[in-house]
Amino acid sequence: MKLKPIPVLEIKQLSIAFDSDHGPQQAVDRVSFELHQGECLGIVGESGCGKSVTTMAIARLLPQPSGKITSGEIRMHGEDILNISPKRLSKLRGQKIGVIFQEPINALNPLQSIGHQIAESLLLHQGMTSAKAYKRCIELLRLVRIPDAETRMKDYPHQLSGGMRQRVMIAIAIACRPDLIIADEPTTALDVTVQQQILELLRKLRLEMGSSSILITHDLGVIAQNCDRVLVMYAGRIVESAPVAELFANPLHAYTRALLDSMPSDKHEPKSTLPTIPGQVADLSELVEGCRFCQRMGREGDCLTQRPNWIEVSPEHGLENCPICNLSSAINP
Ligand SMILES: Nc1ncnc2c1ncn2[C@@H]1O[C@H](COP(=O)(O)OP(=O)(O)O)[C@@H](O)[C@H]1O
Ligand SMILES: [Mg+2]
């Protein structure tokens, strides 16, 4: 019998809450998924659905002191990373997980040259000599296609364009050849051409380094072009999970369908307004235990009190199966 390989990342029933004046508010509600070697997993959903918070928990970077993991497990290569020593955690963050944030200007130190910032993790985590770190910095800047790397190393973040800063963030994230790259809306702040270049670069790096990655975006087009598998998140939960081609060909959850309908496509007349999803994601304090998309649609009934069952329509395609939401779908004809 062939043994299943241990996933790079295994998340089981993860819940995350933020302290507030009205008590803890649950931002992520029992989320489970796996990520395998070399895979690019997309997480898609509207703003506020819990995409960033889920991945911040993986790097143990939840906003402190209010953000807390209230239940669940996170394992990297089988290692329980919620119960490791601070020393081990620092090593993991520096060497195994690279995070690319949405706004590089907030993540880069304005008072240090970019060369210094890239070299820092090499000196700290890889134990390189300064001379070696300097050489590797130049290599990394070239890898992320920053021209004239020797001169650019001495620049400070404010001297670079948004696209260049994003590349520097990528260089820092990949400096130690991490097993896992988390890219949280890495291109939102950039214009379309630079966006394409950055995504292309991330794809190449993934292939060159064999790392696994999680790409967060609210744009299904970006998912289609870059990911192998996708999780659709709504109001703190995964509502559908499928290989990318399968999700586009056979979307089953009403929320996934609504997201797909609001995507530009040949179906829509040029210049016609795209359909948008009515209403908005409910406030954390108002979320129901039952089907949250029904809640948004203003439906009432039993479906609001009990969380819909997770069903698998094929080994890789699953969804939260609310019978009301999915009334018109293939699974509940
Ligand atoms: N520092 C914080 N304090 C309180 N609530 C937060 C904090 N960060 C995020 N949240 C809440 O957690 C929920 C999920 O946020 P987030 O993961 O950032 O959404 P997404 O990345 O999908 O846009 C939102 O309701 C958000 O308001
Ligand atoms: Mg986010």
Side-chain angles (χ1 to χ4, degrees):
M1 195 178 79
K2 206 174 147 194
L3 286 178
K4 247 177 104 178
I6 296 177
V8 173
L9 188 69
E10 199 174 1
I11 299 204
K12 280 191 196 150
Q13 300 281 315
L14 178 70
S15 295
I16 298 161
F18 286 100
D19 290 334
S20 79
D21 296 345
H22 317 287
Q25 299 207 314
Q26 199 172 18
V28 172
D29 185 16
R30 288 159 291 167
V31 155
S32 302
F33 64 92
E34 286 180 2
L35 176 71
H36 295 273
Q37 169 77 46
E39 190 179 36
C40 179
L41 178 70
I43 306 184
V44 72
E46 291 161 290
S47 186
C49 286
K51 307 181 298 295
S52 295
V53 167
T54 301
T55 46
M56 277 176 190
I58 299 168
R60 304 278 305 274
L61 291 171
L62 283 175
Q64 291 303 313
S66 63
K68 292 191 179 68
I69 294 172
T70 52
S71 73
E73 272 177 45
I74 303 179
R75 288 180 184 275
M76 225 182 140
H77 296 298
E79 181 179 12
D80 171 4
I81 66 164
L82 294 184
N83 294 298
I84 52 176
S85 67
K87 197 170 156 204
R88 177 85 188 124
L89 177 62
S90 151
K91 196 163 172 184
L92 208 68
R93 274 197 202 132
Q95 298 184 338
K96 306 274 183 201
I97 307 177
V99 189
I100 302 162
F101 295 100
Q102 193 166 347
E103 295 292 345
I105 196 70
N106 300 331
L108 294 172
N109 185 338
L111 303 176
Q112 284 177 353
S113 69
I114 58 167
H116 184 102
Q117 296 183 59
I118 302 173
E120 200 168 25
S121 76
L122 296 169
L123 296 169
L124 191 71
H125 297 292
Q126 305 263 296
M128 281 187 188
T129 59
S130 319
K132 240 187 161 165
Y134 177 85
K135 255 179 91 181
R136 174 85 177 126
C137 263
I138 291 176
E139 234 175 72
L140 282 163
L141 288 175
R142 291 204 179 120
L143 201 64
V144 296
R145 320 294 189 261
I146 291 190
D148 203 7
E150 280 95 342
T151 321
R152 283 298 187 178
M153 278 195 35
K154 300 183 196 99
D155 281 356
Y156 288 80
H158 73 270
Q159 293 171 290
L160 304 175
S161 67
M164 287 289 176
R165 281 198 290 263
Q166 194 59 282
R167 283 162 208 247
V168 172
M169 275 275 291
I170 297 176
I172 294 174
I174 62 171
C176 300
R177 302 183 170 276
D179 298 332
L180 169 64
I181 299 174
I182 297 173
D184 189 351
E185 311 249 13
T187 59
T188 312
L190 308 173
D191 73 50
V192 180
T193 335
V194 184
Q195 264 185 38
Q196 288 301 335
Q197 288 172 359
I198 299 277
L199 289 169
E200 182 59 34
L201 174 66
L202 280 172
R203 197 165 34 230
K204 280 200 182 128
L205 291 171
R206 211 162 46 236
L207 291 175
E208 279 166 28
M209 305 196 309
S211 38
S212 314
S213 54
I214 299 181
L215 177 60
I216 299 180
T217 170
H218 55 266
D219 186 339
L220 273 164
V222 168
I223 298 270
Q225 285 177 4
N226 294 280
C227 302
D228 305 306
R229 210 153 49 85
V230 56
L231 306 175
V232 180
M233 273 194 92
Y234 182 69
R237 294 175 176 169
I238 294 172
V239 293
E240 187 159 4
S241 159
V244 166
E246 166 81 10
L247 190 92
F248 280 84
N250 189 23
L252 293 175
H253 196 284
Y255 180 65
T256 312
R257 293 169 170 220
L259 276 182
L260 281 165
D261 279 344
S262 61
M263 225 181 119
S265 78
D266 303 342
K267 218 171 55 186
H268 304 290
E269 293 284 318
K271 290 198 182 146
S272 70
T273 22
L274 290 172
T276 48
I277 308 175
Q280 46 193 304
V281 189
D283 197 77
L284 293 185
S285 60
E286 289 164 4
L287 286 170
V288 294
E289 171 59 20
C291 174
R292 294 172 173 180
F293 195 59
C294 277
Q295 177 186 19
R296 169 160 176 177
M297 292 294 122
R299 299 179 191 126
E300 288 184 17
D302 293 348
C303 68
L304 294 191
T305 52
Q306 203 182 352
R307 183 166 180 170
N309 288 330
W310 182 263
I311 62 159
E312 313 246 308
V313 289
S314 71
E316 285 197 277
H317 189 173
L319 74 150
E320 259 203 359
N321 185 32
C322 166
I324 310 293
C325 256
N326 300 319
L327 213 50
S328 56
S329 82
I331 32 177
N332 288 303

